[in-house]
Amino acid sequence: MKSLRVHIGWPSIGGSILLRPPGRLGRVCRLTHHWVRGPLTFDVDPIVLAEYSRTRELAGLFAWQETHREVLNWNSQRLYQVAERTLGSIERLPRDAMGCKQVALFDPEFQQWHFVPYSEPDDDRSQA
């Protein structure tokens, strides 16, 4: 059995992204275990996938699956430009990500940030 962390979003407080030492972006993840069936396949825990989807829907990103598929077709120049705008449009704070109050999500299609309330789950599937 192997495990992986599914990236849910970015930890934030007051509309700012939290940075981990030494200045790396924080992250909100969920640990999922899977059985390897082949070199490139795995199953994501349905509870983790439901949380991933629910977080996006709480942010108003109801078409997130279509947006993900569209982004896969963008060329590297467009991806780089959007990434620059993404980081340039939000304040970043050097602060312990464990104290986050929100999860930040970026909508690459409309190039805007969305924030949803966050509370640490009771199980061992998180890592901020």
Side-chain angles (χ1 to χ4, degrees):
M1 182 171 69
K2 300 285 184 175
S3 62
L4 61 93
R5 297 194 182 275
V6 175
H7 180 84
I8 302 293
W10 309 104
S12 66
I13 292 178
S16 297
I17 297 293
L18 303 179
L19 299 175
R20 299 184 311 171
R24 293 181 296 155
L25 290 172
R27 59 187 177 183
V28 175
C29 298
R30 295 294 174 262
L31 182 65
T32 185
H33 301 284
H34 62 91
W35 296 98
V36 177
R37 292 194 193 109
L40 299 176
T41 63
F42 61 90
D43 294 323
V44 175
D45 181 326
I47 294 170
V48 173
L49 188 55
E51 181 179 357
Y52 183 90
S53 180
R54 183 179 57 79
T55 302
R56 274 137 188 81
E57 290 173 4
L58 285 172
L61 303 173
F62 297 100
W64 64 267
Q65 292 171 320
E66 291 83 1
T67 302
H68 282 221
R69 282 192 291 271
E70 182 181 322
V71 168
L72 291 173
N73 293 317
W74 290 0
N75 65 38
S76 59
Q77 181 180 0
R78 184 171 182 190
L79 288 170
Y80 182 80
Q81 289 170 342
V82 171
E84 276 192 323
R85 281 188 226 127
T86 301
L87 291 174
S89 65
I90 194 164
E91 184 179 0
R92 294 174 301 280
L93 297 173
R95 188 165 172 186
D96 183 4
M98 296 304 286
C100 79
K101 303 292 184 205
Q102 302 169 312
V103 175
L105 303 166
F106 188 77
D107 179 356
E109 184 177 19
F110 294 102
Q111 297 186 18
Q112 64 186 59
W113 285 97
H114 298 268
F115 301 89
V116 297
Y118 175 76
S119 61
E120 191 70 30
D122 294 330
D123 61 17
D124 68 345
R125 291 190 270 182
S126 66
Q127 176 187 358

